[in-house]
Amino acid sequence: MAPLKGQKIVVVGGSSGIGLGVAKAALQNDAEVVIVGRSPDRLKAAETALGGRVKSIAADMTREVDIARLFDEVGAFDHLVSTAGTPPPNYPIGDTDMDFVRGFVDNKLIGAVMLAKHAVRGLKKGGSMIFTSGINKDRPPVPGGSVVSAIAGSFSYFARALAQELAPTRINIVSPGWVDTPMWDELVGEAKSGYFAAMAGRVPAGKVAAPADVAPAYLYLMGNDFMTGETIHIDGGQRLV
Ligand SMILES: NC(=O)c1ccc[n+]([C@@H]2O[C@H](COP(=O)([O-])OP(=O)(O)OC[C@H]3O[C@@H](n4cnc5c(N)ncnc54)[C@H](OP(=O)(O)O)[C@@H]3O)[C@@H](O)[C@H]2O)c1
């Protein structure tokens, strides 16, 4: 495993949840970290939470001009991590709203494709890109899970093809189970604790993850130069129940 000391890591989605956990873990491993998100306020709060030891850049990955500017500003770097995403559509297919679904696809999938496109020019030899899919492709919430399931599932194939196209740059995916993040507060509000207690009772690991529980999967993929085109599931056994 290559050490991360002194390596520059760009975490898109690093202002909250899983991305913030990855940024924290990377800093603990002496990496140089740049966090990216849309909201300057969220970025400021994350900078504070990370002890001011990160650079932050506001950019919206649904806007290609933002992504191009982001990588111009970042310059040469070692690893791209993206955990960026918005809460998934949660209504049955019969009630699907085309604009909302398009917005979700734009944010999650096309945003990742555009990140990869523009990251290439600054990524150093030996570098990697890691994107985030999720348990919903394996255990879709029903109803309303088809869209998020389709998009999350596509990430593994995106990584496999891109790992060949961009070799020796490595491309991998992390697929987390449920993780306690602000996304859940937005999705289900006060019902969160009930959902989490029920899930903790079902999964073999006996708990719902915190961001710190899944961050090591990202660090592993950055550090292991023999991992590419792969999807790592880190879900406490949630796919088994
Ligand atoms: N939490 C879970 O249980 C779980 C499980 C499996 C998979 N996932 C997936 O993991 C990803 C991260 O989830 P999370 O729970 O960490 O969510 P979160 O706490 O809401 O964080 C999402 C991050 O993405 C950023 N973001 C969203 N849209 C963006 C855009 N267009 N451009 C740039 N940044 C953007 C947000 O910042 P701004 O809003 O300021 O842009 C924020 O930093 C999501 O894609 C989610 O589907 C989550």
Side-chain angles (χ1 to χ4, degrees):
M1 295 262 293
L4 295 182
K5 190 177 167 75
Q7 297 209 342
K8 194 192 237 184
I9 297 165
V10 179
V11 186
V12 184
S15 62
S16 178
I18 298 171
L20 184 57
V22 173
K24 193 171 180 186
L27 284 173
Q28 283 163 354
N29 281 269
D30 299 321
E32 185 188 335
V33 177
V34 179
I35 56 171
V36 182
R38 293 166 301 182
S39 156
D41 289 347
R42 252 180 146 178
L43 287 167
K44 263 272 161 284
E47 271 186 45
T48 305
L50 294 168
R53 294 194 293 143
V54 293
K55 179 180 164 78
S56 69
I57 299 177
D60 181 344
M61 70 174 194
T62 63
R63 291 168 41 88
E64 189 168 2
V65 60
D66 276 23
I67 298 176
R69 173 182 47 82
L70 163 67
F71 289 108
D72 284 346
E73 247 181 85
V74 165
F77 69 107
D78 295 283
H79 301 282
L80 168 68
V81 171
S82 177
T83 64
T86 45
N90 62 353
Y91 31 58
I93 197 76
D95 298 335
T96 300
D97 176 275
M98 194 178 235
D99 287 340
F100 187 83
V101 172
R102 279 213 174 107
F104 187 70
V105 174
D106 245 15
N107 203 40
K108 185 83 189 160
L109 182 59
I110 300 179
V113 174
M114 290 298 117
L115 285 176
K117 172 184 170 183
H118 288 278
V120 164
R121 66 186 129 95
L123 209 55
K124 289 189 202 161
K125 193 166 182 290
S128 79
M129 302 184 199
I130 306 169
F131 299 95
T132 305
S133 64
I135 186 75
N136 279 356
K137 69 183 175 334
D138 307 295
R139 288 279 179 275
V142 177
S146 56
V147 173
V148 66
S149 185
I151 293 170
S154 70
F155 271 86
S156 296
Y157 294 95
F158 176 56
R160 288 164 60 106
L162 206 57
Q164 294 178 66
E165 182 177 331
L166 297 182
T169 295
R170 298 178 298 106
I171 318 291
N172 291 295
I173 306 297
V174 173
S175 178
W178 285 13
V179 185
D180 188 357
T181 69
M183 179 178 282
W184 278 95
D185 300 308
E186 207 177 316
L187 259 180
V188 296
E190 285 174 2
K192 181 175 94 167
S193 56
Y195 277 101
F196 281 8
M199 183 54 80
R202 286 176 56 214
V203 288
K207 66 174 184 178
V208 168
D213 295 315
V214 297
Y218 293 83
L219 265 59
Y220 171 73
L221 289 172
M222 286 183 236
N224 191 317
D225 66 5
F226 210 55
M227 289 292 286
T228 192
E230 195 54 88
T231 299
I232 289 195
H233 297 91
I234 180 154
D235 59 19
Q238 195 173 340
R239 280 170 305 142
L240 306 175
V241 297

